[in-house]
Amino acid sequence: MKAKPVGPIPEGFKAQGGELFVGGQTASDLVASAGSTPLFVYSRELISARVRKLRDALPARIGINYAIKANPFEPVLKHMAPLVDGFDIASSGELQLAQNAGVDPARISFAGPGKRGEELEAAISAGVTLNCESSGEGERAIAIGQRLGVCPRIAIRVNPDFELKGSGMKMGGGAKPFGVDAEKVPDLAKYLINEGAEWRGLHIFTGSQALNADAIIEAQSNVLKLADELARLIGEPLPKLNMGGGFGIPYFPGDEPLELDAVGCALHANVADLPESLQDAELCLELGRYLIGEAGVYLCRVVDRKDSHGVTYLVTDGGLHHQLAASGNFGTVVRRNYPVAIASRFDAEPSEVVNVVGCLCTPLDRLADLAHLPRAEVGDLVAVFCAGAYGATASPSAFLGHGSAREILV
Ligand SMILES: *Cc1c(COP(=O)(O)O)cnc(C)c1O
């Protein structure tokens, strides 16, 4: 049987005693300390190392925000809090999670279409910056601020006329539910400032999951240019510019890691030559998966091993209800294999070609197609890598009633 390649296993995962070794523990110890499979394991060391790598590459003046939706696990938020400059939330539920983790609301910004009245109220009274997505939302925020006697802190999320090329998920360019069309931004900004809002500048997010440094560099230059044009039309220097993010991670065979140094170099040049309107602006990037995606691994156990028409199936106790993206059902066109391994035989040579599936009764529930892996038996542990972002909370854990996965930070 011809094997299909699997994605690249991220750096930092070693073997010890024959097993996958993360955060000073073997896979079976991790499962024992968490209680059972399926299990998400996130590594403090790998998260911290990623933030250090970013700080080394980026100009000191560029802040790093964490987009909580990638992984809102409370211990992760607590670990992230002293490492990053700000947190981006997309609902009042995420506001609650950030506050539970002890994050100062002054470091939080709130983007996302369809913010409900109660959400605006919670954010405004806490002192969170709203990234305003429409003129209607701006008017509602002003009215709420007046009613509460609180001056709302408001930035405008811009829907730019360009996009981040080659990004996995396009969130700018053309008609979009996100942000305010660039040409409508100056009038809305003037309105908000006149109504007494604390003006917090612009948020320009152009896309996600880009691995091509040139595409990111081009998008960032366009963001700075657009921010300058808009600031001049608004008639005030910008207090703050959230430049978006979009830094991708390699999930699939053939994916190359983003050349971070090239992006950093271009940003150094841009920051050294900022237009006047941006000279005093706080600048930041907002990143989700780049900070946490490769720092997480999903462990599940083989519960059955069977043959069907000559194909071997490893049936696990995990599946798409925790790992929708790895199953190929979260915005991918052609299903390709994530990086997978037999965690309990991590240093063994591959010896057979198998399909790894989950326990859900649907053909969609695949974790790896025709993967070349060491022979695994019932009881062995399977690892799916790149599981730190958009796993536990971006998968339909109620589907088929198997329940949520456990999560630990080590
Ligand atoms: C989802 C999202 C992010 C994070 O995206 P990643 O691909 O995880 O980096 C950042 N900003 C906004 C506005 C988002 O919607």
Side-chain angles (χ1 to χ4, degrees):
M1 188 106 7
K2 193 165 157 33
K4 288 189 188 167
V6 299
I9 294 179
E11 270 175 44
F13 292 96
K14 301 179 286 263
Q16 182 147 316
E19 289 195 52
L20 175 65
F21 189 71
V22 191
Q25 295 183 60
T26 60
S28 40
D29 286 345
L30 288 164
V31 172
S33 48
S36 75
T37 48
L39 170 66
F40 285 93
V41 181
Y42 314 116
S43 157
R44 292 172 197 277
E45 189 188 325
L46 294 178
I47 297 168
S48 300
R50 178 52 57 98
V51 175
R52 267 197 312 277
K53 181 171 156 167
L54 271 165
R55 298 277 186 207
D56 288 347
L58 301 176
R61 126 146 224 213
I62 306 264
I64 298 171
N65 286 7
Y66 175 54
I68 287 184
K69 80 171 190 274
N71 185 332
F73 186 46
E74 186 172 306
V76 165
L77 298 184
K78 286 185 171 153
H79 181 73
M80 219 48 113
L83 300 178
V84 300
D85 301 292
F87 286 82
D88 292 310
I89 58 168
S91 69
S92 57
E94 288 189 347
L95 172 58
Q96 196 60 57
L97 293 170
Q99 287 185 296
N100 293 349
V103 174
D104 177 359
R107 297 166 69 199
I108 300 176
S109 49
F110 182 4
K115 299 182 190 77
R116 287 173 285 120
E118 311 88 83
E119 297 189 290
L120 291 172
E121 203 170 306
I124 290 168
S125 33
V128 163
T129 295
L130 294 174
N131 291 343
C132 175
E133 304 265 352
S134 73
S135 53
E137 188 178 288
E139 286 161 17
R140 287 190 287 277
I142 292 293
I144 289 170
Q146 282 165 353
R147 181 159 51 75
L148 298 177
V150 178
C151 167
R153 315 179 80 196
I154 310 185
I156 295 177
R157 176 169 179 183
V158 183
N159 174 27
D161 291 324
F162 51 86
E163 62 188 20
L164 174 53
K165 290 191 188 122
S167 67
M169 229 174 260
K170 295 198 183 348
M171 303 207 22
K176 286 286 180 299
F178 311 110
V180 176
D181 293 349
E183 70 267 20
K184 298 180 189 148
V185 167
D187 283 347
L188 178 57
K190 287 180 206 166
Y191 162 80
L192 295 170
I193 294 166
N194 275 337
E195 293 292 326
E198 183 184 335
W199 173 232
R200 297 302 296 145
L202 301 174
H203 170 213
I204 310 181
F205 183 74
T206 56
S208 214
Q209 181 49 21
L211 290 171
N212 181 327
D214 291 335
I216 291 182
I217 292 167
E218 185 189 307
Q220 288 178 338
S221 298
N222 287 334
V223 162
L224 290 169
K225 213 164 88 206
L226 176 59
D228 173 47
E229 280 164 24
L230 292 173
R232 283 192 278 155
L233 290 168
I234 295 164
E236 286 195 19
L238 279 191
K240 177 153 186 177
L241 173 63
N242 176 334
M243 302 176 62
F247 295 16
I249 60 172
Y251 288 103
F252 301 116
D255 281 357
E256 293 289 338
L258 173 66
E259 284 178 48
L260 183 63
D261 287 338
V263 175
C265 230
L267 270 177
H268 273 282
N270 274 328
V271 162
D273 189 27
L274 284 175
E276 206 172 299
S277 65
L278 297 179
Q279 261 165 23
D280 296 321
E282 262 179 67
L283 300 174
C284 72
L285 297 174
E286 54 175 357
L287 302 171
R289 75 188 76 223
Y290 193 77
L291 295 178
I292 176 87
E294 289 169 286
V297 60
Y298 174 70
L299 297 176
C300 52
R301 198 180 286 285
V302 178
V303 291
D304 199 7
R305 180 188 163 97
K306 61 192 277 191
D307 178 279
S308 170
H309 292 286
V311 177
T312 300
Y313 284 85
L314 300 180
V315 185
T316 69
D317 62 3
L320 74 74
H321 53 316
H322 309 142
Q323 271 296 357
L324 189 63
S327 75
N329 295 294
F330 192 55
T332 26
V333 182
V334 180
R335 194 198 171 284
R336 290 177 293 165
N337 287 327
Y338 263 43
V340 292
I342 305 299
S344 44
R345 301 171 194 263
F346 196 55
D347 59 359
E349 288 301 316
S351 59
E352 62 175 6
V353 174
V354 295
N355 283 351
V356 183
V357 298
C359 54
L360 303 195
C361 198
T362 157
L364 300 177
D365 194 10
R366 295 184 283 175
L367 293 175
D369 273 344
L370 300 176
H372 193 204
L373 296 174
R375 187 183 165 98
E377 303 296 341
V378 169
D380 270 309
L381 295 171
V382 170
V384 180
F385 295 89
C386 295
Y390 306 111
T393 56
S395 303
S397 64
F399 188 34
L400 273 154
H402 291 284
S404 305
R406 295 173 190 240
E407 294 176 279
I408 51 171
L409 175 70
V410 290

